[in-house]
Amino acid sequence: MRPGPLLRGPLAAAALALGLALAGCQPSKPPGTLIVATKSRIVSLDPAKASRIGEQQLLSALGDPLYAISAEGQIEPRLAAALPQLSPDGLRARIPLRRSVRFHDGTPFNAAALEFSLRRFLAIGTLSYQLSDRVSSLRALDSHTLELTLKRPFSPLPRLLSSIVLTPVSPTAYRAHRDKPLADRFVGTGPYRLAFFGGQQLRLAPFRDYWGPRPANNGLMLISYSNSTALFGALRGGEVDVLLSNSLELDHQRALHRLAEAGRLKEAVGPPLEIGFLSLLTSEPPLNDPRLRQALAHSLDRRLIQERVSLGLRPPLRSLVPPVLPGADPTAWAAYDPARARTLLRAAGWCQGRVLTLPLTFRSDIPSDRLFALTWQAQLRRDLSDCLQLQPEGMESTTAYSQLDKGAFTMILLDWLGDYPDAENYLTPMLGCGKADGSRCLEGGSVLSGSFWTAPGIDSELLRSSELAGEPRLALLRRVQRRAGDGVPYLPLWVVTPVAWAQPRLRAPRFDGSGRVVLSALQAGGAQP
Amino acid sequence: MSRRRALLGYVGARLALVPVMLWLIATLVFLLLRVAPGDPIDALLGSRAPEAAREALRQKLGLDQSLLAQYGGFLSQLLRANLGTSLSSEEPVTRIIRESLPASLELGAVALLLAAILGLAVGFSGIARAEGRVDLAGRLFGIGTYALPPFWAAMVMQLVFAVALGWLPVGGRFPPTLQPPSGSGFYLLDSLRHGNGAQLLATLRHLLLPATTLGVLLSGIFTNALRLNLRRALASDYVEAARGRGLSERRVVLRHALPNALLPVLTIAGITVASLIGGALLIEVTFSWPGIAFRLQEAIAQRDYPVVQGIVVVVAALVVLISVAVDVLVALLDPRIRF
């Protein structure tokens, strides 16, 4: 019943040979090309449909925005030749465009092409409201000038136009897709053209006629892995050259950070623009009592959370605006002070034999959320066990999002990454309120974020901030934050720093001011520039 | 009625039930998706998009219509073999299935083959001496592989063979440095058809870890089924009669007991194909295998109704057809079965 001795030897030898062949034959890549791994699977290459971070990262290599934000946070014209020229009433913006720019199909980029692209985005764009909320009409004034008519003065317009989803596409290539998406092709103006699109794998080749500096590499191969262990293993095993963190698990991030400290990897960090926060339901008991919300603000030991939950990788946050952005007030929310929290809880009628139990909803599909809930629960047990206790409850994120505006959660852990890096793009989505009944918001960002909080004049202050520029605008934005910090409709927790790693033979990756890795700057060898 | 005619009648009756079963499954999936909490608009726009934008998208996607109207539209499309378009990418669902199904079938077929070879070999190995050391080891293997959590086993395989030893890739179906073979979507067949050795080796390298993991996990079912059925067959009267006629033990086992013991195993193989879809999900996610279970998981997270419905209907059709084929095969092979 078993193979005879004559067969056993050749069978074993054949199996060994096959095993060695399979293990040893790793295909080589063309010199100068780099393999970049991410967690995001690219579903669509159409900028009108690019709502995920991974897709936007890819588009930043294939396309160009009108304006870019430098690593230092400065606005730089890219396809625009200069900053917008505003009419005296601030309602018309003329954008001069760069000349001698070509699309990947060889056709010229001009105002008509930009008008086509923006109209297409307005018609079918998933995030079209970003533009349609601000712009009432647009037209090409001449071959290289586009005019936007705004619904009201909007000073952060260049920052809005730095959004990569507004990157122009070739009207010739998209003629048949004027009002429908084109998922598997992209014809734009960026430093790379698309050489191959296979869903899980993409190949980008340098665009010979690019108007700007040529990429520092001979092309990129992008591959997506669906889980953190695979991404971590691919970098450690040398299968990939560069790893973009996206949603890499925190223990993997820490392990890679340690390898970078030991000189076995290159690490780069970008501007921390994603915030984690708790949304508090201010329209219903018990958190309609501002003293309780203030007590919660004082009860949170962010340093402990940083150490235990994010393994030291997510800096604590006491503002709704990431501190790297102009107009942020890093101390707008109260600091950790358990004694003050106890006083406030007592004043609200708790602690004297009465323990307030608060449900805390966390997204069960995000590991750090659960860890936060359990850590804060334990911290409150340590500090305020006679006054306050938490009742963590997990819920799948898509289910939770659909119930936010229904006031379903007393406290829920959420995150937010602005569509473009500007303080207004953090405050309006959280505090905006178009219709209110006293301090209860009935319509607007505050409802959509699940807090239902507003205060007299705060919405008009937000609107006015968009009409101001310079220091007066920043001062007004800081004032709005301090008012929110007093009202405590949210508890800011941390900011998430984007990280990328590269093999030691490569230069460390570089981030732009929008938090994306500059893929065209990835380069083999040499010291840091 | 001749046996041939009876068999045809039996097959016809089974096939006639297929559309009814598919309609029931499609209706159930349609209803369950709508009853489940979560909104595709949230998945597409995020929860903070303005109400006007949400409403516009809802209208565009037809989600503002009544449940009955949506159901009518879904069924009418289904009857025309149109599975609709994805809410998130606006790709036709048939294209998504065409791209991802071959990956799953290839992985499943290789895994099933490995599972059958390994499982039957282990199940058969202990037959010489019941309750002996080999038999005990086979039992432990059967129970152990059956009880092993798939995600844990997959992660251990990945960490050992890809990360620590670096022998095989951590995931994916094909290396980014090579052009995938064009054609049917079955990379093994396509690379063989093109006679491209580099593509074939690359395909095998990527297939080896997930297929072996899934194969080992499934092999326990074959081991236990063969072991029990072979033991029962060896204790039966006809085997005793064969022994009594002076046939060698080898001939008794291979010619008399084994064919009878394999019949229930064939049925189990059919059921295993159905369970492959569930088991493959964790394997596909762990090894970033771009198969249909992986796409189904993504679509459920995004509440992409047409993709979920399309995948479930197609997979259900496959499972039903395979189970009919297995039933017919068993009926053909086993003369005791009456129709």
Side-chain angles (χ1 to χ4, degrees):
Chain A
M1 320 274 173
R2 288 183 303 172
L6 279 178
L7 268 178
R8 250 181 270 157
L11 273 179
L16 186 67
L18 180 67
L20 287 174
L22 289 175
C25 69
Q26 198 154 355
S28 59
K29 60 178 194 271
T33 56
L34 300 172
I35 302 178
V36 180
T38 72
K39 194 174 179 189
S40 311
R41 197 177 67 82
I42 304 300
V43 174
S44 173
L45 291 172
D46 197 319
K49 294 288 149 193
S51 54
R52 306 181 199 189
I53 296 171
E55 286 161 343
Q56 295 183 6
Q57 169 70 67
L58 175 65
L59 280 177
S60 71
L62 290 167
D64 286 309
L66 283 171
Y67 299 95
I69 296 167
S70 71
E72 295 74 35
Q74 302 302 310
I75 288 279
E76 293 172 346
R78 293 291 293 274
L79 287 178
L83 288 174
Q85 297 151 7
L86 290 170
S87 62
D89 61 2
L91 288 174
R92 278 196 309 280
R94 286 184 178 180
I95 302 167
L97 301 179
R98 189 178 288 276
R99 290 167 191 270
S100 308
V101 174
R102 294 205 166 267
F103 287 107
H104 298 157
D105 60 358
T107 56
F109 163 74
N110 51 31
L114 182 59
E115 184 186 345
F116 170 88
S117 304
L118 294 182
R119 286 193 189 286
R120 183 175 179 273
F121 181 80
L122 284 167
I124 63 167
T126 303
L127 304 175
S128 62
Y129 60 85
Q130 281 184 14
L131 203 59
S132 62
D133 278 2
R134 324 278 186 208
V135 174
S136 58
S137 68
L138 54 103
R139 65 183 176 127
L141 279 187
D142 58 42
S143 69
H144 283 84
T145 310
L146 186 88
E147 185 180 76
L148 300 177
T149 306
L150 306 177
K151 290 182 175 172
R152 56 179 182 274
F154 186 62
S155 57
L157 182 66
R159 287 185 177 263
L160 168 67
L161 296 177
S162 73
S163 178
I164 195 65
V165 294
L166 302 176
T167 185
V169 293
S170 158
T172 310
Y174 287 74
R175 188 179 296 135
H177 291 82
R178 183 187 292 266
D179 54 2
K180 58 183 177 189
L182 181 57
D184 56 359
R185 274 204 297 148
F186 180 82
V187 183
T189 61
Y192 294 95
R193 61 178 179 78
L194 184 71
F196 172 75
F197 175 61
Q200 200 179 28
Q201 294 176 14
L202 292 103
R203 257 178 246 146
L204 312 186
F207 175 39
R208 284 172 193 276
D209 295 331
Y210 186 54
W211 60 270
R214 273 184 64 81
N217 49 65
N218 286 343
L220 300 171
M221 296 169 175
L222 282 93
I223 185 159
S224 63
Y225 292 112
S226 54
N227 67 77
S228 187
T229 309
L231 286 163
F232 174 78
L235 187 72
R236 282 214 58 190
E239 269 185 59
V240 301
D241 299 307
V242 178
L243 172 58
L244 310 183
S245 84
N246 289 10
S247 24
L248 206 64
E249 281 171 21
L250 286 164
D251 49 353
H252 287 143
Q253 288 195 35
R254 189 168 64 164
L256 293 178
H257 177 66
R258 284 180 177 163
L259 287 171
E261 281 180 335
R264 290 162 66 189
L265 286 175
K266 294 272 176 66
E267 185 181 63
V269 293
L273 295 171
E274 183 182 334
I275 66 168
F277 63 95
L278 283 165
S279 179
L280 312 182
L281 181 62
T282 62
S283 57
E284 303 286 338
L287 293 183
N288 59 347
D289 183 340
R291 291 169 301 182
L292 289 183
R293 301 201 298 270
Q294 282 156 6
L296 281 174
H298 283 295
S299 76
L300 187 64
D301 185 350
R302 290 181 177 82
R303 287 278 163 207
L304 182 84
I305 300 291
Q306 184 198 15
E307 282 165 25
R308 300 281 172 87
V309 179
S310 76
L311 311 174
L313 297 173
R314 294 178 179 176
L317 180 69
R318 282 166 52 205
S319 161
L320 285 180
V321 179
V324 292
L325 292 181
D329 182 349
T331 56
W333 260 253
Y336 172 56
D337 184 350
R340 177 78 186 131
R342 185 183 299 278
T343 308
L344 286 162
L345 283 161
R346 278 202 175 136
W350 300 93
C351 299
Q352 296 100 347
R354 291 181 70 208
V355 178
L356 171 64
T357 302
L358 286 175
L360 166 62
T361 308
F362 63 88
R363 294 163 297 180
S364 53
D365 46 334
I366 299 177
S368 59
D369 274 25
R370 182 186 183 83
L371 193 54
F372 164 78
L374 296 175
T375 308
W376 194 27
Q377 185 187 36
Q379 183 235 309
L380 289 180
R381 203 177 291 142
R382 181 194 70 187
D383 295 343
L384 295 160
S385 60
D386 55 328
C387 301
L388 179 61
Q389 65 179 15
L390 291 181
Q391 197 176 15
E393 295 164 355
M395 184 177 284
E396 190 239 3
S397 51
T398 314
T399 306
Y401 298 151
S402 69
Q403 296 182 47
L404 268 179
D405 61 350
K406 296 172 183 66
F409 309 111
T410 305
M411 278 198 291
I412 182 168
L413 182 50
L414 299 168
D415 49 44
W416 174 246
L417 175 65
D419 302 313
Y420 50 92
D422 184 77
E424 183 269 344
N425 201 10
Y426 287 79
L427 296 176
T428 302
M430 308 264 193
L431 304 172
C433 183
K435 195 172 160 188
D437 177 12
S439 63
R440 182 193 170 109
C441 180
L442 302 174
E443 208 175 279
S446 171
V447 173
L448 297 171
S449 302
S451 84
F452 296 79
W453 179 85
T454 193
I458 204 154
D459 197 62
S460 52
E461 283 182 343
L462 276 172
L463 285 174
R464 198 153 57 84
S465 77
S466 296
E467 298 171 9
L468 298 173
E471 188 47 43
R473 175 173 186 257
L474 301 181
L476 186 56
L477 289 170
R478 282 193 285 266
R479 180 182 138 78
V480 169
Q481 286 165 78
R482 281 194 297 274
R483 291 188 69 192
D486 291 341
V488 202
Y490 306 98
L491 285 181
L493 299 174
W494 56 55
V495 276
V496 180
T497 309
V499 193
W501 294 273
Q503 298 291 355
R505 64 179 185 283
L506 304 184
R507 289 186 177 179
R510 188 156 60 79
F511 280 85
D512 65 13
S514 298
R516 289 188 284 264
V517 171
V518 184
L519 294 174
S520 60
L522 293 175
Q523 192 179 5
Q528 285 299 306
Chain B
M1 191 159 46
S2 72
R3 182 174 166 78
R4 188 190 172 84
R5 284 190 63 183
L7 181 65
L8 279 175
Y10 173 71
V11 173
R14 292 296 310 269
L15 288 176
L17 280 175
V18 170
V20 181
M21 287 169 75
L22 288 182
W23 169 70
L24 279 173
I25 290 167
T27 305
L28 207 61
V29 174
F30 179 89
L31 288 174
L32 283 176
L33 276 173
R34 266 70 181 179
V35 170
D39 187 344
I41 303 298
D42 284 329
L44 289 170
L45 291 183
S47 56
R48 292 191 186 84
E51 194 49 42
R54 297 162 65 84
E55 201 45 47
L57 187 62
R58 202 177 292 282
Q59 277 179 18
K60 187 182 160 195
L61 299 175
L63 298 170
D64 59 326
Q65 294 174 6
S66 70
L67 200 62
L68 204 62
Q70 289 184 50
Y71 179 63
F74 165 60
L75 277 192
S76 126
Q77 280 187 331
L78 199 59
L79 284 173
R80 285 177 276 134
N82 178 359
L83 298 174
T85 43
S86 159
L87 298 182
S88 58
S89 66
E90 298 192 25
E91 277 180 284
V93 175
T94 41
R95 194 164 89 190
I96 292 172
I97 294 174
R98 203 171 53 234
E99 283 170 2
S100 53
L101 188 60
S104 288
L105 291 180
E106 193 167 72
L107 173 64
V110 175
L112 202 60
L113 187 70
L114 289 173
I117 293 171
L118 183 65
L120 295 180
V122 173
F124 193 70
S125 62
I127 208 66
R129 197 166 151 211
E131 306 302 331
R133 270 189 298 184
V134 178
D135 189 35
L136 188 67
R139 271 165 69 181
L140 281 176
F141 175 82
I143 295 166
T145 52
Y146 195 70
L148 218 53
F151 72 92
W152 183 82
M155 209 164 273
V156 168
M157 295 283 273
Q158 194 176 47
L159 285 172
V160 173
F161 293 102
V163 180
L165 299 172
W167 290 353
L168 293 163
V170 287
R173 198 181 172 202
F174 208 74
T177 45
L178 280 178
Q179 193 80 13
S182 57
S184 64
F186 294 92
Y187 286 2
L188 277 179
L189 294 179
D190 290 335
S191 51
L192 280 171
R193 198 162 51 86
H194 296 308
N196 190 324
Q199 286 181 339
L200 180 65
L201 274 179
T203 304
L204 282 171
R205 285 189 83 235
H206 283 259
L207 191 57
L208 199 59
L209 262 187
T212 307
T213 310
L214 193 52
V216 168
L217 291 170
L218 292 173
S219 63
I221 304 171
F222 289 93
T223 300
N224 286 345
L226 183 70
R227 218 183 125 265
L228 291 171
N229 285 296
L230 198 53
R231 180 139 308 156
R232 196 174 299 141
L234 285 171
S236 61
D237 293 345
Y238 64 88
V239 167
E240 282 303 316
R243 283 186 181 129
R245 290 207 308 274
L247 296 179
S248 69
E249 188 62 18
R250 184 189 181 97
R251 196 173 164 81
V252 166
V253 172
L254 292 180
R255 295 292 298 275
H256 294 267
L258 191 59
N260 284 300
L262 281 176
L263 276 173
V265 177
L266 189 63
T267 312
I268 287 168
I271 297 165
T272 307
V273 171
S275 73
L276 257 181
I277 301 298
L281 172 61
L282 296 165
I283 301 295
E284 286 188 3
V285 171
T286 306
F287 289 106
S288 308
W289 189 263
I292 204 154
F294 183 42
R295 290 303 294 261
L296 180 63
Q297 181 238 8
E298 269 187 350
I300 290 171
Q302 292 173 341
R303 303 295 189 273
D304 198 335
Y305 297 156
V307 177
V308 177
Q309 287 161 185
I311 290 178
V312 171
V313 168
V314 168
V315 169
L318 268 177
V319 170
V320 169
L321 288 175
I322 288 169
S323 94
V324 170
V326 169
D327 283 356
V328 171
L329 197 61
V330 171
L332 274 174
L333 294 174
D334 191 347
R336 293 168 300 182
I337 291 181
R338 298 276 177 270
F339 314 113

